[in-house]
Amino acid sequence: MSDIRHTPKAPTRAQHLAAGDRIDAHRHDEHQIVYAGSGVLAVTTDAGTWFAPGTRAIWVPAGTVHAHRAHGHLQLHLVGLPAHDNPLGLDTPTVLAVGPLLRELIRAYTRDPEDTGPQRRRLLAVLRDQLRASPQQPLVLPTPADPRLAAVCALVHADPAEPRTLAQLGAATGTGERTLSRLFRSEFGMTFPQWRTQSRLYHALRMLADGTPVTTVAHRCGWSSASAFIEVFRGSFGCTPGAHQRGG
């Protein structure tokens, strides 16, 4: 990433982003929690892209160079924490589950960032407790370093419904299946089917944010049926695609 902006203090605020809006690459000397109450948020670093609908938030550690992109209309909530205050003990970006209580705490805390009263400090203490209890979610598309892996990933990203097996994709790019399987595990820490599901879910979220019907999204992203898509989506995000589109 070039032209990296350095903002020492991570802001705490709520702001609107229109579909397609971006916040260019920057870094803070503090940690930040990034949450989108509507739409789908993507946070990209050199290591990959983390993505989150309204049931998830993204933890961005201090010093991480990152950029934001909005898919659909975003009600963005940012919570900054000092570098010495790391309730999660995490030093890499991570997607966190956001339940109803944590969601309301984030909304309330970002409503009036200039408030420094005792009630706000108590609010932050409860928010930190809820963060510690939030399960981590593997919602990331890592950036491939090996060009052989990158070639296969590019084919799948170009067409989320790409039906070819890893062996067939390897034949198309000139790399053996065993080599590619090893690269997926060593670079991404997941199998090819696991990674492809992550990729399809990311594209599905983007399409849903644009208002594409659920059945259309299912077929464009490679699921055999709408019901199969709904089952995977619910297991990953805790709600159905239709409820997600409605903001439920």
Side-chain angles (χ1 to χ4, degrees):
M1 296 181 180
S2 58
D3 300 324
I4 297 167
R5 175 167 47 88
H6 176 215
T7 306
K9 186 175 180 62
T12 294
R13 65 171 182 259
Q15 66 182 97
H16 295 277
L17 292 180
D21 279 359
R22 299 172 183 265
I23 298 177
D24 293 333
H26 61 286
R27 63 183 175 90
H28 313 291
D29 296 333
E30 298 182 329
H31 308 298
Q32 192 170 55
I33 302 147
V34 188
Y35 172 71
S38 62
V40 175
L41 169 70
V43 172
T44 299
T45 75
D46 286 339
T49 297
W50 285 257
F51 52 98
T55 57
R56 303 290 183 263
I58 300 174
W59 169 262
V60 182
T64 302
V65 177
H66 61 289
H68 304 309
R69 179 166 183 181
H71 298 291
H73 175 78
L74 232 63
Q75 177 62 42
L76 189 64
H77 298 268
L78 305 171
V79 177
L81 293 173
H84 62 79
D85 185 5
N86 188 338
L88 294 163
L90 296 171
D91 58 5
T92 57
T94 305
V95 175
L96 306 170
V98 175
L101 177 56
L102 181 56
R103 179 184 67 233
E104 295 308 319
L105 287 166
I106 292 173
R107 287 175 172 172
Y109 191 72
T110 56
R111 190 172 296 130
D112 187 7
E114 303 303 319
D115 181 9
T116 58
Q119 182 176 352
R120 182 173 169 78
R121 290 194 294 272
R122 291 193 295 270
L123 189 65
L124 178 59
V126 180
L127 193 157
R128 293 173 76 257
D129 287 342
Q130 286 296 305
L131 282 174
R132 290 192 192 95
S134 295
Q136 298 174 29
Q137 304 289 324
L139 300 176
V140 58
L141 288 176
T143 300
D146 191 293
R148 296 167 294 181
L149 190 59
V152 170
C153 292
L155 287 176
V156 178
H157 281 315
D159 179 11
E162 169 62 70
R164 283 177 286 183
T165 65
L166 186 59
Q168 291 169 328
L169 290 167
T173 56
T175 306
E177 180 183 12
R178 291 181 63 182
T179 298
L180 287 170
S181 181
R182 174 179 55 80
L183 288 171
F184 270 101
R185 289 185 178 277
S186 61
E187 285 204 22
F188 295 167
M190 65 181 85
T191 65
F192 170 65
Q194 289 171 328
W195 176 86
R196 181 156 60 181
T197 297
Q198 294 287 90
S199 174
R200 287 175 170 176
L201 284 171
Y202 175 57
H203 287 287
L205 283 170
R206 294 173 61 181
M207 293 179 193
L208 291 169
D210 290 336
T212 307
V214 171
T215 300
T216 303
V217 173
H219 291 299
R220 286 184 182 175
C221 291
W223 274 279
S224 58
S225 65
S227 59
F229 168 49
I230 291 168
E231 182 178 352
V232 173
F233 193 96
R234 195 200 320 260
S236 298
F237 302 120
C239 63
T240 65
H244 165 72
Q245 275 192 321
R246 296 188 298 271

